[in-house]
Amino acid sequence: MGIKEAKKIIMETFANTARRLGQSELVGYIYGALFLSGRPMSLGEIAEITGYSLSHVSSAMRVLEGVGLVQRVKKPGDRKAYFIATKNFSEWRSSAFYEKILRDIDETRENLLRALKELEHEKGSEVEEIKKKLEIALKRNEVARKLLTLIMQFRSEEELLHVLEKCSK
């Protein structure tokens, strides 16, 4: 049961990641199926592997294409659309995936600043406590933005890992 269980773990890991990012678990299952397959797959094949309907798979595939995690490919002489998972770090980096995270970080910052502005003229110990928490959240938000921006500058995962290894010595 080793390989079957390993594949199940991988698929569930991608599904959980998709849920944490606010997407349907199907998005993760599809990416997992493509990641494991190593070859282009049709919508029908993906539906069969995931156990979801063709219409659900098609809708989720639009999400995955939109964020650049899958790519549509054509096979010569075949009218069907096939899909592959992008596995290369630079493909992920260049996709809208990171841009979405950056937008979320920036939106969070704007909301934290708005909340701080609302407390500008307020007094009291509760107000001061909330202000402290907001300041801490803003600092963490800035660290997250800087880290993500830094990661996006690397051309490959190997380059990123090499730099991180040098820094850790």
Side-chain angles (χ1 to χ4, degrees):
M1 183 165 25
I3 193 163
K4 187 176 180 180
E5 189 62 25
K7 285 182 175 183
K8 180 181 173 189
I9 291 167
I10 292 167
M11 298 278 288
E12 287 175 358
T13 298
F14 283 119
N16 289 334
T17 299
R19 273 194 295 273
R20 282 192 301 275
L21 293 172
Q23 296 296 329
S24 157
E25 68 182 18
L26 176 56
V27 168
Y29 284 128
I30 291 171
Y31 186 82
L34 291 169
F35 175 82
L36 290 169
S37 125
R39 66 173 179 77
M41 295 177 68
S42 70
L43 289 175
E45 291 172 309
I46 295 166
E48 188 176 316
I49 287 172
T50 61
Y52 284 83
S53 72
L54 201 55
S55 64
H56 281 102
V57 169
S58 180
S59 296
M61 194 59 73
R62 282 192 291 277
V63 171
L64 284 163
E65 279 186 287
V67 296
L69 293 177
V70 301
Q71 183 178 7
R72 184 182 298 252
V73 295
K74 289 281 188 180
K75 289 185 177 181
D78 194 338
R79 297 176 73 173
K80 286 184 190 175
Y82 291 85
F83 300 87
I84 58 171
T86 57
K87 300 174 189 170
N88 182 308
F89 185 79
S90 63
E91 289 175 280
W92 277 62
R93 180 180 49 78
S94 64
S95 75
F97 180 75
Y98 283 118
E99 291 302 322
K100 181 179 179 185
I101 295 171
L102 279 175
R103 280 193 305 272
D104 183 63
I105 288 170
D106 290 342
E107 182 180 311
T108 298
R109 183 178 188 280
E110 289 173 24
N111 289 334
L112 293 170
L113 289 171
R114 276 188 25 235
L116 261 178
K117 188 167 178 65
E118 288 295 322
L119 298 174
E120 254 179 12
H121 303 292
E122 299 293 323
K123 303 279 186 227
S125 61
E126 183 182 13
V127 171
E128 292 308 313
E129 201 57 39
I130 292 171
K131 283 182 179 181
K132 285 180 192 176
K133 289 178 181 182
L134 289 172
E135 291 294 339
I136 291 168
L138 281 165
K139 286 178 186 174
R140 289 180 178 161
N141 179 275
E142 185 59 28
V143 168
R145 189 175 211 304
K146 285 179 181 179
L147 284 172
L148 188 59
T149 303
L150 180 66
I151 288 169
M152 291 171 65
Q153 292 174 9
F154 289 92
R155 291 186 300 271
S156 70
E157 59 191 8
E158 290 82 14
E159 182 183 358
L160 172 60
L161 288 172
H162 176 71
V163 170
L164 289 174
E165 287 170 350
K166 279 177 72 175
C167 291
S168 68
K169 292 180 182 180

